[in-house]
Amino acid sequence: MSTNTTELPDTEAARLSPRVISHWIDGAEAPSTSGRTAPVYNPATGVVTADVALADEAEVEAAIASAQRGFEMWSRFSIAKRQTVLFAFRELLNARKRELAEIITAEHGKVVSDAMGEILRGQEVVELATGFPHLIKGAFSENASTGIDVYSLKQPLGVVGIISPFNFPAMVPMWFFPVAIAAGNAVVVKPSEKDPSAALWLAALWKEAGLPDGVFTVLQGDKLAVDGLLTDPRVQSISFVGSTPIAQYIYETASKHGKRVQALGGAKNHMLVLPDADLDLVADQAVNAGYGAAGERCMAISVVLAVEPAADELIEKIQERIAKLRVGNGAGQDGVEPDLGPLISAQHREKVSGYVDIAEADGAKVVVDGRGLTVPGHEDGFFFGPTLLDEVPLTSRAYTEEIFGPVLSVVRVKTFAEGVDLINSGQFGNGTAIFTNDGGAARRFQNEIQVGMIGINVPIPVPVAYHSFGGWKQSLFGDAKAYGVHGFDFFTREKAVTSRWLDPATHGGINLGFPQND
């Protein structure tokens, strides 16, 4: 790193001599020697602020070996000692979460208050994990057979891998690692190359909380690092959130190598709006769920199924609200935050814009167009404005594929049943919502819809930490959802013990037959 960067403006210094974001191995930052890096941008300015190391085979080996040593030590810690570390981490995170939020905004671009919300949702899982003793208890059956007791033990897996997406660099890892660590495992986190610093910040916080070295490892990298985790026999499980094609690759590769896998994939979430719904409420929630975090979340609402005659009035109300949204630097200016920040990269902005082009070419009406938006003072930022499409054809790729940007499509349907059939016919099954004042329709919806997470007058139905997160169909590969009871089941394995302590006075003698209950 150059020694004179403090004499230069931040942006110029970043261009001339970007710092290198390293790994975290054996309880400390571990500079890379691979010679491979990738640029990390501030999406609001378009400036490269750092380079992130991309691991080579030797660094993958070092990370996994360190985690294995950490597991061998941590798994022997008593429940009471583990719980003390978890409580300490929880308190440190709560006290310093604003610091983490600002790191996320600088690399991801989302508004600071949205980054704070991400952290708070992740913190719910940390808080769940602090009560882990109740969730890893076994069971005991006394005298299951004469003089024989049967009981079960829940024990940790070992080294577990977490492969994290760019859109939630803190929350998604926190869906997994608090539960994994509480259960006695050691974790290797592979963050997105686009926003890698949050994981390092969390690693340092764990060390401050008293977690032994090696129990929380951060491995920066690309596909080489991912494949290292997927194939190494010391890694017992993989947890992943990302696009469906990558989730399927993760599932197939890791499963082939004998690992447990929970791989959460993409989505195309619908909101079914019945004519009896409060359309002002619906418009508010459609804007919140469609454009929050610039649409870069797997639980975003991307399609509004409006049961006629609701569509025209609803579109007008959504338009009115879009006109008031402010797009800008997520860090804010003069103490005022915008409503939306930029997209993660220039390439992703082009992809989102391409989907609007496709929709328009296929006959959709572009009611509000966010293409070509520039923000004064941030002309090189990766901004894309809220976009509203009407009459999107069901055959258009803009309808069938995940856009992952601030694009909300309206599709008009004639009946409740038509809306349900459209949702159920899709390849994804992550989340969906219904807006209505008819309890019977809502109850029928929750029973008939083939989706993993359902909102009733709630647009983004992300479950609280003591339930579990995950979809159906092409939105989830593997049997275990994230966090909740599913999480503790995923990160432990059960032993059944059949025990007899013989009474010397009543020794049973030799019996060569198959054991019988008596």
Side-chain angles (χ1 to χ4, degrees):
M1 180 178 292
S2 172
T3 58
N4 65 347
T5 54
T6 55
E7 300 173 8
L8 301 170
D10 289 343
T11 54
E12 187 177 352
R15 286 190 182 100
L16 295 179
S17 181
R19 63 190 175 90
V20 177
I21 299 169
S22 59
H23 314 295
W24 183 277
I25 300 173
D26 281 335
E29 289 195 41
S32 175
T33 58
S34 72
R36 301 194 308 129
T37 61
V40 177
Y41 291 85
N42 181 331
T45 63
V47 170
V48 175
T49 57
D51 287 330
V52 61
L54 301 177
D56 59 16
E57 290 87 351
E59 290 165 348
V60 173
E61 165 61 29
I64 296 173
S66 172
Q68 182 65 36
R69 292 190 297 271
F71 164 69
E72 290 167 1
M73 175 174 47
W74 179 242
S75 60
R76 293 194 293 268
F77 270 49
S78 69
I79 286 175
K81 288 181 179 178
R82 275 188 258 156
Q83 197 171 30
T84 298
V85 174
L86 283 157
F87 272 114
F89 178 81
R90 187 264 179 201
E91 292 305 307
L92 288 168
L93 179 62
N94 191 48
R96 292 167 53 189
K97 54 183 176 285
R98 174 81 188 194
E99 183 181 332
L100 178 57
E102 290 173 355
I103 290 171
I104 293 169
T105 294
E107 290 185 347
H108 175 275
K110 67 176 63 176
V111 176
V112 171
S113 59
D114 192 22
M116 286 284 283
E118 165 185 348
I119 296 163
L120 290 171
R121 291 311 300 265
Q123 188 172 318
E124 290 181 11
V125 183
V126 177
E127 290 167 351
L128 171 75
T130 61
F132 77 93
H134 172 69
L135 294 167
I136 63 167
K137 291 189 301 185
F140 192 99
S141 297
E142 184 180 23
N143 218 34
S145 187
T146 302
I148 295 179
D149 304 326
V150 180
Y151 52 96
S152 59
L153 309 174
K154 288 189 176 182
Q155 297 184 327
L157 301 179
V159 176
V160 301
I162 298 170
I163 301 168
S164 178
F166 74 80
N167 59 324
F168 289 106
M171 183 185 74
V172 166
M174 281 195 278
W175 282 356
F176 305 111
F177 70 66
V179 176
I181 290 172
N185 301 283
V187 168
V188 179
V189 177
K190 208 299 287 182
S192 168
E193 306 96 293
K194 295 181 174 66
D195 44 13
S197 294
L200 281 181
W201 188 94
L202 289 163
L205 204 71
W206 272 117
K207 185 175 181 68
E208 189 175 344
L211 191 70
D213 295 348
V215 182
F216 190 94
T217 296
V218 178
L219 178 65
Q220 309 286 6
D222 52 10
K223 187 175 184 296
L224 188 153
V226 169
D227 287 345
L229 294 174
L230 298 183
T231 59
D232 193 289
R234 290 166 294 183
V235 179
Q236 301 299 312
S237 73
I238 296 291
S239 302
F240 170 83
V241 176
S243 69
T244 285
I246 304 302
Q248 188 165 4
Y249 171 78
I250 295 284
Y251 175 70
E252 291 174 353
T253 306
S255 297
K256 185 172 67 175
H257 286 84
K259 306 183 193 309
R260 291 187 179 185
V261 187
Q262 44 184 182
L264 284 66
K268 192 73 179 182
N269 304 320
H270 292 62
M271 173 193 289
L272 181 62
V273 180
L274 302 192
D276 71 321
D278 180 335
L279 294 187
D280 284 309
L281 170 66
V282 172
D284 287 340
Q285 298 307 310
V287 168
N288 291 341
Y291 303 129
E296 291 178 322
R297 50 190 180 194
C298 65
M299 290 297 286
I301 291 295
S302 56
V303 178
V304 175
L305 293 177
V307 179
E308 295 290 28
D312 287 338
E313 184 180 354
L314 179 57
I315 287 170
E316 183 179 341
K317 291 179 181 294
I318 292 174
Q319 272 188 275
E320 292 171 357
R321 287 155 174 80
I322 291 175
K324 299 174 184 178
L325 295 179
R326 298 162 299 173
V327 181
N329 188 335
Q333 186 173 357
D334 300 326
V336 179
E337 287 187 348
D339 299 296
L340 282 77
L343 296 177
I344 189 67
S345 67
Q347 293 82 1
H348 188 56
R349 179 180 58 187
E350 291 307 309
K351 178 183 176 183
V352 173
S353 182
Y355 275 111
V356 180
D357 296 342
I358 289 168
E360 189 172 33
D362 289 342
K365 179 181 179 183
V366 182
V367 180
V368 179
D369 194 343
R371 291 172 291 186
L373 175 74
T374 57
V375 173
H378 293 78
E379 287 78 8
D380 293 327
F382 310 138
F383 293 97
F384 194 93
T387 298
L388 181 63
L389 307 176
D390 186 20
E391 299 180 3
V392 180
L394 301 181
T395 55
S396 175
R397 288 176 52 213
Y399 172 75
T400 59
E401 297 179 9
E402 183 176 33
I403 296 176
F404 220 63
V407 179
L408 191 62
S409 299
V410 176
V411 173
R412 299 162 185 255
V413 294
K414 295 179 181 178
T415 64
F416 169 92
E418 183 183 352
V420 169
D421 288 344
L422 274 181
I423 296 170
N424 286 345
S425 66
Q427 63 174 315
F428 301 111
N430 208 42
T432 191
I434 184 171
F435 277 76
T436 180
N437 286 313
D438 185 335
R443 191 169 189 276
R444 180 181 167 190
F445 183 83
Q446 73 181 28
N447 288 330
E448 294 182 7
I449 213 71
Q450 295 170 21
V451 166
M453 294 170 284
I454 298 166
I456 297 174
N457 297 319
V458 174
I460 302 180
V462 176
V464 292
Y466 40 89
H467 288 269
S468 296
F469 180 103
W472 289 10
K473 298 189 282 189
Q474 295 292 301
S475 294
L476 177 67
F477 296 85
D479 297 322
K481 295 185 177 183
Y483 60 78
V485 175
H486 277 240
F488 281 96
D489 288 343
F490 182 79
F491 287 115
T492 58
R493 50 189 165 195
E494 189 175 82
K495 285 180 178 175
V497 181
T498 303
S499 171
R500 173 166 58 187
W501 295 100
L502 295 178
D503 182 344
T506 59
H507 192 284
I510 296 174
N511 184 347
L512 299 182
F514 196 84
Q516 301 289 318
N517 288 333
D518 55 27

